[in-house]
Structure formats: structure tokens, C-alpha cells
Amino acid sequence: MKQEHRAIENLIKGLNTARVIEKETFSRMVRRTLNVREVRPEELPYKVDEKRFKAFSSRNTIFSRAYWDPKIAELRRRMVESMKRNMESGTPGYTLVDYALEEAAWLFTGKHKEIRRKARYFMDISGIESEREAFTKLVKRIALFFGADLVGVAEVDPKWLYAEVKEEIAKYPYVIVMAFEMDLKALKTANEGPYAGEVGLGYSKMSIVSAHLAYFLRYLGFKAIPQGNEGALSVPLAVLAGLGEVGRSGLLITPEYGPRVRLAKVFTDAPLLPDKPIRFGVWEFCRECQLCAIACPVKAIPYGGPSWDGPTISEEKGVYKWHVNHERCYAYWSQIGRGCGLCLKVCPYSNTLWDVHRIRALKEALRMTADHM
């Protein structure tokens, strides 16, 4: 046990790299500024009616429906036509080079599904169980080291798993949820080429980092499944992992970056300590703010208060929140020939400037790394 403790502590110290320290310090400063507080899951305004709720089927996501629902498949076909039309007309932000940037950014998306390498541990790692707190800290630092911007841990709540894989994934007690920041300047170009490239790059990062982290855990002898959007609804798990709250747009709102994040996850049986959900006023703010609803060209984001059911089969039933109409959203995508990010662009939480905290965090990281050179 002493050997495992020493190894974990040494690696934690070894991961005091500038990028890790900067991310940890920045997050700590922002959360202190916003008076972020931890709460119990039952204290969240985001509620579930267990009598009405049913496990959501991945088949009913708007993207999956494009392959079996004639109505959505037609929208997908129109999107391709819109892309061609944009390129032929040379529409600024939608030219051939803009689409080339977008496609290149998506290059490594889904590569995490191709991991076939087996674990290769040579020692008894059962002692790590008694080092749960230190091991959890280590795993979080490794996620930041590989490229995540935020990371949290939650116990797996089976109701958020997709119906098709619920039985398989429910065997894993924990899920590590990671968030990846979208650059604010790129977001301001929504819905043009740089924005689209930033989205694709986020998905590539999701695949790469989740694969790295899962393989680290596998090498130690634990089971670990890296995932992007598949397997489970990412936003509820991110809420449970303490990364943020749910907003009017249906997206996760983080203290550090607002909704301009992409989410990935790793399900595992490694001995981890779960984080607690947080509150910092998002739910209350979104009740009054309707900027994302106003900005949506097709009124896919609702006005007014939350409701229990979504308007189409692509949304959950029995969940108290703001439900986005994904059919309207996807229809607009098909019209413009690209995914839309206007709700992200106008969100006040996206536009909160933490420049002072960023500068201070960078200075702290440089100071600490310089002290160890």
C-alpha cells in the first residue's frame, strides 16, 4: 500500500505542468468569484418524474433519426444540397475553404471507438482502493494533462443511459465527465467556417482525450469505456459531476465557460470519489433571460418556464427543464448547410470575460513550474 501511495503522490506532483496548474487555478478563481456551492442531487431544480420517465433511446436522437425517419432523412439530404449551393455561390463563411476547415477539424472524431489494445498491468493494484482520494485527484490531473479543460466524477445514474446499452453500462459504478472549451473568438463567427471548425475540433479532442484516459485506466487493470455523445445523455451526467447547471438552451452552463463546451465521458470501475452537483444561479437567471430563445431563427428554444415533456420524440419525457425542439433546430441546419451555434453565441455566460483570472492563473502556473525547474 505504501508503494502505491508513493507512486500516486509522485505522479500527482509530476503533473504540475503549466497547462494543468493553469486550468485548476482558473477554475478555482472563477468558482470562488461566482460563489459556486455544492448541493445534493435532490436539491437541483432539474427534476425527474419517475412514473413518467422512460430510458431514452439513442435511436430517437435527431442525428440517428436521419437514418431511419424519412422526414429527418430528407432534411439531411437538403443539408448536403445547401452545402453544395453555398460553395458554388461563394457565400462568405460558407466557401469551399470554410467547409475544408470544418471537415479537417472533425478528422479524429469517433476514433475512441477503435481502441482495441488490452490492459497490460504487471502488479497487484488492489491497494489503490485505499488511496481513493489521491487516485481521484490523479485521474483528474491526467484528464487535464491530456487536454480536458474541466473534469468531474459522478456515480452512474442508470436513468440517463440510452435504453440500448443501459444494461451493459450500468455495471460501471462511475463516470468521468470532461468538458472542452470552445474558443470565444471562434464562437463569435457562428455560423461561419471558424465556428464550424471549432466545433469539429472539439469533437476530435473529445475522442482523443477520452481514449487516452480510458487506456490509462485499462493499463492499470480497470475497465474503462471512452465515449463522446454515445452511451448516455452527457448533460445530466455532467450536472451530477459538478461541472455546471442546465440552461434554457438545454445545454450545460459551466461557471468557467458558460455553454461553450463539448462533453466526453469515460465509464469505469476504478475506485473514484464522486463530486457533488453545483448551483450558481443559472436556473434563476435563465427564467428571466430569453436571449437564446430570441436569437433562435426557428424558435426551437422555448420562451417562458420549464416543462415536463419535450415536443418531439427526440426529447425526454418526464424531465422538468426547458425542452428544445430538435426537429426545428435540425431543419434550420439543413437550410443553411451547417450546424448552428447562435444560442451559444448570445448566451451571457458564454460572453463573461474572465481575463483577469486567466492572466492570474497563467502567472501562477508559470511561477510554480519555474520553481521546479
Side-chain angles (χ1 to χ4, degrees):
M1 187 169 69
K2 289 182 179 179
Q3 182 179 355
E4 281 108 5
H5 178 79
R6 192 181 307 113
I8 291 172
E9 290 296 327
N10 285 342
L11 188 49
I12 288 175
K13 292 177 182 177
L15 288 170
N16 275 333
T17 63
R19 64 177 178 271
V20 170
I21 297 171
E22 182 180 359
K23 291 172 185 177
E24 290 179 336
T25 306
F26 174 66
S27 181
R28 186 165 57 250
M29 288 179 173
V30 171
R31 294 189 173 213
R32 186 166 57 239
T33 300
L34 290 176
N35 296 316
V36 173
R37 59 189 178 90
E38 295 182 340
V39 298
R40 298 189 303 274
E42 56 269 23
E43 295 179 81
L44 293 170
Y46 180 52
K47 304 289 185 184
V48 174
D49 184 342
E50 300 289 356
K51 294 181 179 179
R52 299 163 63 191
F53 181 84
K54 292 183 180 179
F56 191 73
S57 171
S58 60
R59 187 171 183 267
N60 289 335
T61 66
I62 200 70
F63 304 108
S64 295
R65 285 175 63 189
Y67 294 94
W68 65 265
D69 185 334
K71 174 182 175 181
I72 309 303
E74 174 61 17
L75 293 178
R76 186 167 180 266
R77 186 189 67 78
R78 291 180 186 175
M79 185 184 298
V80 175
E81 289 183 350
S82 296
M83 291 171 62
K84 292 179 180 178
R85 184 174 62 251
N86 289 339
M87 287 186 277
E88 289 171 356
S89 65
T91 304
Y94 297 81
T95 64
L96 174 60
V97 291
D98 287 297
Y99 280 109
L101 170 66
E102 181 178 356
E103 287 298 310
W106 283 86
L107 183 61
F108 291 99
T109 302
K111 293 297 183 181
H112 62 279
K113 301 176 186 178
E114 301 176 10
I115 295 180
R116 294 292 182 268
R117 297 174 68 184
K118 296 182 179 179
R120 212 175 53 169
Y121 59 100
F122 304 104
M123 299 175 63
D124 178 11
I125 45 84
S126 58
I128 290 180
E129 176 72 31
S130 63
E131 300 292 335
R132 186 172 294 232
E133 183 175 355
F135 186 65
T136 302
K137 182 177 181 179
L138 174 62
V139 169
K140 288 182 176 181
R141 281 207 158 179
I142 286 174
L144 297 176
F145 178 80
F146 283 144
D149 293 300
L150 298 172
V151 57
V153 177
E155 292 183 345
V156 173
D157 187 336
K159 66 172 166 283
W160 302 122
L161 306 179
Y162 286 137
E164 293 81 358
V165 294
K166 184 175 182 178
E167 186 175 341
E168 174 191 353
I169 299 182
K171 298 176 183 177
Y172 294 86
Y174 304 109
V175 58
I176 304 163
V177 187
M178 295 168 286
F180 301 82
E181 179 191 9
M182 293 179 66
D183 183 84
L184 181 57
K185 189 68 178 290
L187 179 62
K188 289 299 182 181
T189 68
N191 295 314
E192 299 178 2
Y195 163 75
E198 185 71 7
V199 172
L201 186 60
Y203 274 90
S204 286
K205 289 178 181 178
M206 287 161 53
S207 284
I208 294 168
V209 176
S210 62
H212 281 313
L213 184 60
Y215 189 70
F216 167 78
L217 294 170
R218 289 184 185 185
Y219 195 98
L220 292 176
F222 301 113
K223 295 178 181 178
I225 301 178
Q227 295 195 329
N229 288 347
E230 74 275 22
L233 294 164
S234 296
V235 171
L237 294 178
V239 169
L240 292 175
L243 297 190
E245 294 189 56
V246 178
R248 179 181 291 275
S249 61
L251 301 171
L252 179 78
I253 310 291
T254 67
E256 296 85 356
Y257 311 111
R260 52 185 176 88
V261 293
R262 298 290 158 179
L263 300 173
K265 47 200 183 283
V266 173
F267 290 93
T268 184
D269 63 353
L272 301 170
L273 283 178
D275 293 292
K276 294 180 180 179
I278 60 172
R279 295 291 310 278
F280 59 104
V282 169
W283 191 269
E284 294 77 11
F285 183 86
C286 285
R287 275 190 173 276
E288 303 300 324
C289 178
Q290 300 186 118
L291 287 180
C292 59
I294 294 170
C296 182
V298 290
K299 306 306 177 188
I301 299 174
Y303 290 88
S307 61
W308 283 100
D309 299 319
T312 78
I313 63 171
S314 290
E315 296 85 45
E316 308 111 305
K317 307 296 181 183
V319 181
Y320 188 65
K321 66 170 190 173
W322 287 279
H323 291 270
V324 174
N325 187 320
H326 288 95
E327 289 185 4
R328 290 184 181 180
C329 185
Y330 196 71
Y332 184 65
W333 291 21
S334 71
Q335 178 184 333
I336 66 172
R338 173 175 289 145
C340 176
L342 296 180
C343 57
L344 291 164
K345 179 180 178 178
V346 302
C347 179
Y349 284 103
S350 280
N351 294 285
T352 302
L353 295 178
W354 296 115
D355 291 353
V356 172
H357 288 331
R358 283 187 182 273
I359 293 170
R360 287 176 178 172
L362 178 58
K363 286 182 177 179
E364 177 68 10
L366 294 175
R367 183 190 66 78
M368 289 189 65
T369 51
D371 289 346
H372 289 87
M373 289 180 66

